[in-house]
Amino acid sequence: EKGGWSSFMAKEISEEPEAVANTILGRVVDGQVVLPELEGLDEMLAGIDRVIVIACGTASYSGLVGKYAIEKWARVPVEVELSHEFRYREPVLNERTLVVSISQSGETMDTLMAVKYAIANGARTLSICNTQGATIARESDAVVYTHAGPEVAVASTKAFVAQITALYLFGLHLSRVRGTLDPEVAAHQLAELQSIPAKIEQVLGNGAEITQLAKWMSDSRAVLFLGRHVGYPIALEGALKLKELAYIHAEGFAAGELKHGPIALIEPGQPVFVIVPSPRDPNSLHAKVVSNIQEIRARGARILAIAEEGDVAVLPFADEVIRIPLAAPLFEPLLTVIPLQLFAMELATAKGLDVDQPRNLAKSVTVE
Ligand code: F6R
């Protein structure tokens, strides 16, 4: 079943270009997103004044990426909350609140209970789910399926990129219904999204480099991850992958938070992955992150930069540079996460661990 791969995880990472492509497939017509599953919901979607994304773990990080895109395009406030926190704090909900649940399995008890709570309290519900006919999908008003195919390895990889893709599609759909985005801009964004699978393929081609990196880092005691804007959720995801697969203490931070505390952790030799925004980013976050790199480098950090091809500004300060192809800034997470997934898998492998079945974890958490 592993089709010649050393693990399901390795196989599933190799399937990420298809996971994204298949999630887009059939949903773009004449430069526009078409989601037949949302037919008849235009009035509701035009009338909502708030989106709350609920999910757990990796799925919640896809929600955080989605927030940047949905707010930008559809101009509706988006919050992202862990299902188990949402459910027990009496959140304010009404018929103008859209609760979007994200779940690969569609059976995560925490998320299911949160969806039921949302329904009971008058919210509208949409499920983003990878498993046909799963409980959460059946409970929700509507479902947009991700088409990543079955995910066997406990650690989520291809489902994550498919979830982000589905959120982009939903965000573009919402912006059309709400009339918040110039159709030409939307068509351009869609074309950019459609170019991503081939770019993921390119990133996967640099896998050998990452294997080497993981080998010489296999005795690291702690690894930090920094990102900004859409790179921030990816820093969180990179840290989660390393914890669950390689049992290494790892933390992800928003780069802007460094001087508010985490910089105290930097000591000579501390490895830090930095997801560097594109130098073409209109918010000039690139310069800010490069300056963060200089600050931690001066304190002895070992910098592993994930940066766009041609970005030379990072070269003087980085110990290693992992290159990703040029992409529209909002879509970069679909590329920057790949080296982090590979790194966690390779480091776990170097430590002789079972990457498909990490200790203490289950693929689907069906208890609260
Ligand atoms: C991490 C991982 C978990 C799941 C989480 C939600 O690699 O797989 O954090 O993302 O348990 O699971 P689903 O998406 O099935 O609700």
Side-chain angles (χ1 to χ4, degrees):
E1 283 176 45
K2 289 183 217 164
W5 294 92
S6 54
S7 62
F8 280 106
M9 187 179 180
K11 172 174 179 274
E12 288 161 8
I13 290 176
S14 81
E15 290 166 350
E16 288 183 285
E18 294 100 278
V20 172
N22 289 341
T23 299
I24 304 171
L25 192 71
R27 288 170 165 167
V28 179
V29 179
D30 297 332
Q32 274 200 346
V33 177
V34 176
L35 294 169
E37 50 276 71
L38 302 185
E39 227 173 68
L41 299 181
D42 284 10
E43 203 180 323
M44 182 273 280
L45 292 174
I48 55 166
D49 60 12
R50 204 159 140 240
V51 174
I52 305 179
V53 176
I54 52 170
C56 301
T58 291
S60 76
Y61 301 145
S62 78
L64 275 178
V65 173
K67 172 186 167 106
Y68 287 81
I70 297 170
E71 282 207 3
K72 184 176 166 75
W73 295 332
R75 306 310 299 156
V76 61
V78 181
E79 293 161 60
V80 181
E81 192 163 8
L82 297 168
S83 312
H84 33 90
E85 287 297 319
F86 170 82
R87 161 81 181 74
Y88 291 103
R89 65 170 185 86
E90 298 183 39
V92 179
L93 304 171
N94 58 41
E95 71 289 345
R96 291 192 313 282
T97 313
L98 178 68
V99 171
V100 177
S101 63
I102 308 174
S103 177
Q104 186 287 128
S105 62
E107 302 296 343
T108 298
M109 186 57 76
D110 287 314
T111 303
L112 174 60
M113 295 307 283
V115 169
K116 287 189 172 168
Y117 181 91
I119 295 167
N121 287 276
R124 302 288 169 253
T125 54
L126 168 69
S127 151
I128 292 181
C129 181
N130 196 49
T131 311
Q132 289 288 328
T135 313
I136 294 172
R138 280 189 280 115
E139 290 285 332
S140 305
D141 296 331
V143 47
V144 173
Y145 281 107
T146 48
H147 297 302
E151 194 177 60
V152 177
V154 165
S156 188
T157 54
K158 63 176 181 172
F160 178 69
V161 292
Q163 283 158 350
I164 294 176
T165 305
L167 286 161
Y168 291 142
L169 294 174
F170 174 66
L172 289 170
H173 177 84
L174 197 58
S175 68
R176 179 155 50 84
V177 171
R178 298 170 74 87
T180 49
L181 194 63
D182 179 336
E184 260 181 50
V185 175
H188 177 71
Q189 293 290 329
L190 264 177
E192 290 281 346
L193 181 59
Q194 287 175 304
S195 77
I196 293 290
K199 293 175 185 173
I200 297 179
E201 207 74 73
Q202 268 175 268
V203 180
L204 290 172
N206 302 332
E209 209 183 319
I210 313 258
T211 309
Q212 285 314 313
L213 189 64
K215 271 193 190 137
W216 64 255
M217 283 181 66
S218 64
D219 54 0
S220 299
R221 290 188 48 233
V223 179
L224 305 181
F225 294 79
L226 289 181
R228 214 177 154 135
H229 194 259
V230 286
Y232 166 46
I234 298 307
L236 298 176
E237 171 63 1
L240 178 60
K241 283 284 155 299
L242 205 56
K243 287 177 216 178
E244 61 179 342
L245 290 159
Y247 317 150
I248 290 178
H249 184 77
E251 283 303 323
F253 300 106
E257 243 342 72
L258 254 188
K259 56 186 164 303
H260 301 288
I263 197 164
L265 288 170
I266 305 296
E267 54 185 21
Q270 172 64 55
V272 185
F273 274 92
V274 185
I275 300 142
V276 184
S278 164
R280 299 167 295 123
D281 169 63
N283 298 318
S284 331
L285 293 176
H286 175 262
K288 293 198 167 74
V289 172
V290 171
S291 124
N292 289 143
I293 292 179
Q294 287 175 263
E295 283 157 10
I296 55 175
R297 186 79 182 318
R299 290 162 177 82
R302 208 152 93 202
I303 311 289
L304 314 150
I306 299 178
E308 183 175 285
E309 269 159 22
D311 177 355
V312 290
V314 295
L315 285 176
F317 315 111
D319 296 273
E320 299 282 337
V321 184
I322 299 158
R323 293 294 181 186
I324 57 152
L326 273 64
L330 273 174
F331 301 130
E332 281 170 7
L334 294 173
L335 305 177
T336 53
V337 75
I338 312 284
L340 300 183
Q341 295 169 339
L342 287 170
F343 177 75
M345 178 179 76
E346 294 297 347
L347 205 147
T349 306
K351 291 178 76 170
L353 300 172
D354 180 348
V355 296
D356 285 340
Q357 189 53 260
R359 68 185 180 199
N360 309 340
L361 292 171
K363 181 64 185 161
S364 174
V365 185
T366 51
V367 289
E368 262 196 275

